[in-house]
Amino acid sequence: MLAIDGTATAEDLQAVLPTPDRRRRGAVAVIECFQEIPCNPCADACPRGAITMPENISQRPVFDPDKCNGCGVCVGRCPGLAIFVVDYSYGEDTALLKIPYEFRPLPQAGDSVTALDRQGAAVGSARVVKVQEQKNRTTILWLAVTAAMATAVRNIRLSGEVRA
Ligand code: SF4
Ligand code: SF4
């Protein structure tokens, strides 16, 4: 639970997951921002107006999945590393994820890496499709994972790497 250990509950996560119909239509952001803090880079970053802030900037952002095309610009702008993009239309039984990544060294496109869930537990493997480095912004990793893993995977570990 967020208030106790900083992790979102299944109900929290379900509430921000775009509908199955929207997910079937292609890439879309998933905004896992659950705490009320004064923050708005995501809204400023979105070129399509899909993210807006309530009048009170301390309230959580409001997301319109029908305006989102999954471009991923917001992923690298969120200081809380709370935004992800999922694309279930990527392949048969394969989804494409775009995740923020601030560790070094970076993986390389084509690498097979260990896929981690929100708590850092290994849940399978992922293939790095693209490493999108951005000047003065958080790197965005594009990962191919099985569709069944797409709502669980939120980080990676490089092969052979043991992270404390
Ligand atoms: S993925 Fe692109 S279109 Fe969607 S909310 Fe983020 S910046 Fe906006
Ligand atoms: S930038 Fe990130 S942490 Fe800040 S309001 Fe947007 S989603 Fe939440």
Side-chain angles (χ1 to χ4, degrees):
M1 181 187 287
L2 274 171
I4 296 173
D5 62 8
T7 57
T9 64
E11 291 75 26
D12 292 330
L13 296 169
Q14 189 60 39
V16 296
L17 197 61
T19 62
D21 174 61
R22 176 61 191 86
R23 282 180 270 155
R24 268 193 296 275
R25 282 189 273 129
V28 64
V30 182
I31 302 188
E32 300 185 1
C33 176
F34 299 109
Q35 288 181 312
E36 300 203 338
I37 50 172
C39 183
N40 69 350
C42 54
D44 285 347
C46 179
R48 299 173 64 91
I51 307 174
T52 53
M53 298 306 298
E55 201 168 314
N56 178 352
I57 193 178
S58 290
Q59 291 183 309
R60 292 165 55 192
V62 177
F63 177 55
D64 182 346
D66 290 327
K67 289 183 178 173
C68 174
N69 67 355
C71 68
V73 169
C74 55
V75 174
R77 302 287 182 90
C78 170
L81 310 185
I83 307 180
F84 308 86
V85 167
V86 60
D87 183 0
Y88 285 94
S89 68
Y90 184 65
E92 197 170 329
D93 293 329
T94 306
L96 181 74
L97 287 177
K98 297 178 186 176
I99 70 166
Y101 191 76
E102 294 189 329
F103 292 102
R104 291 295 184 275
L106 290 169
Q108 295 190 345
D111 284 355
S112 179
V113 295
T114 302
L116 307 178
D117 68 11
R118 294 174 184 80
Q119 286 73 41
V123 291
S125 64
R127 179 171 53 83
V128 179
V129 173
K130 182 174 178 177
V131 179
Q132 191 178 350
E133 286 192 84
Q134 315 185 94
K135 194 175 180 187
N136 299 327
R137 306 263 185 231
T138 299
T139 298
I140 302 171
L141 298 185
W142 298 29
L143 305 172
V145 299
T146 63
M149 284 165 45
T151 56
V153 175
R154 291 297 179 264
N155 203 347
I156 62 145
R157 185 171 65 219
L158 305 187
S159 298
E161 181 188 21
V162 178
R163 201 177 284 159

